[in-house]
Structures are given as structure tokens and as C-alpha cells.
Amino acid sequence: MISTRGRYALRVMIDLAEHYSDGYIPMKIIAERQGISLKYLEQILPSLTKNGMIEGMQRKGGGYKLTAGPDEYRVGDILRVTEGNLAPVACLGCDAKMCERAGNCKTLPMWKEFYKMTNDYFDGITLSDLMK
């Protein structure tokens, strides 16, 4: 399940994409347009900044902007930054230890295929696609 953190991050990124040519957008403006509290944005924006998806400027005329064009951002990348791994089961997570039952697990191939489908689906959608 995608949390509000991931959903709100997508809304913020779409907002910045729609205003890509406007330069830096103050966090307060993004919060107002998206109906997201400033406090919650303060939790989401640092992970997007740390991962190079957006950049911030702290001074008059400052705010946040995308570091690349809207067509260069895949939804899957944004969700992985904000949600972590999109694995449907713990044993497929990034830091998961190999399960002792993996060799005999009848459901593992199904989970692997579902995981692949999920990633392929989200990686096939860009911010530009969502702006349409």
C-alpha cells in the first residue's frame, strides 16, 4: 500500500512540474495549492532534495524546483525515494536476508512476478504523463 507520504510526494512533484518554468516555488505556495500542511511537507521535501530530485534555495525568492525536466522523472523512482522498496513481501525487500524456505517456496515466483510488474508499471509513467 502506498502511504500518504508517497502520494503527497507525487502531488508535490506534479505541482513543481506544472510550474517548471516558474523557477523556485515557495513551500507555502505548494502547500496551499495541494492542500498539504507545511509540517508534512517539511518531512517529505528533504528526502526528495537529498536524492537529487528537487533543489531548494533558502532566501528571498527561494523555494523548490525540479532538477530535471518533468519527462525525466519516473513515478517508480519517486515512490522508492519516499516509500522505500515497493516489494510486496518482506523477503523481496532490499535488505532482506535470503529466506531459508526460498528454495521450496511455492509462492515466491508469484511474488517476484508481482514485484516486477509493479516496478515496470510505475517506472513506465513519468511526471509528464501525469500532467496530461
Side-chain angles (χ1 to χ4, degrees):
M1 180 181 292
I2 306 298
S3 71
T4 55
R5 183 178 176 90
R7 295 193 321 266
Y8 287 3
L10 284 172
R11 285 171 47 191
V12 167
M13 295 295 284
I14 293 166
D15 188 285
L16 292 173
E18 290 174 336
H19 300 278
Y20 182 64
S21 61
D22 297 348
Y24 290 93
I25 309 295
M27 188 184 339
K28 182 179 178 182
I29 301 290
I30 298 167
E32 288 172 1
R33 285 196 295 232
Q34 295 304 315
I36 302 171
S37 75
L38 276 173
K39 189 171 185 160
Y40 204 33
L41 275 187
E42 289 170 351
Q43 296 173 27
I44 296 170
L45 295 178
S47 62
L48 296 171
T49 303
K50 185 176 99 176
N51 285 280
M53 296 189 154
I54 62 174
E55 63 178 293
M57 183 171 62
Q58 305 297 323
R59 63 181 169 114
K60 185 174 169 110
Y64 292 88
K65 70 176 187 172
L66 299 180
T67 57
D71 57 325
E72 297 183 47
Y73 292 90
R74 300 180 311 173
V75 168
D77 293 331
I78 297 165
L79 290 176
R80 282 186 287 275
V81 162
T82 55
E83 294 289 326
N85 194 312
L86 298 175
V89 290
C91 63
L92 294 178
C94 291
D95 299 329
K97 294 179 184 177
M98 180 60 103
C99 175
E100 67 229 20
R101 295 182 40 91
N104 298 326
C105 182
K106 303 288 187 193
T107 63
L108 186 58
M110 173 191 67
W111 292 124
K112 283 183 176 179
E113 182 61 24
F114 181 69
Y115 184 39
K116 180 184 178 320
M117 288 172 25
T118 301
N119 282 292
D120 289 348
Y121 177 73
F122 286 131
D123 287 341
I125 304 168
T126 65
L127 286 180
S128 292
D129 296 329
L130 295 176
M131 290 168 53
K132 296 176 185 168

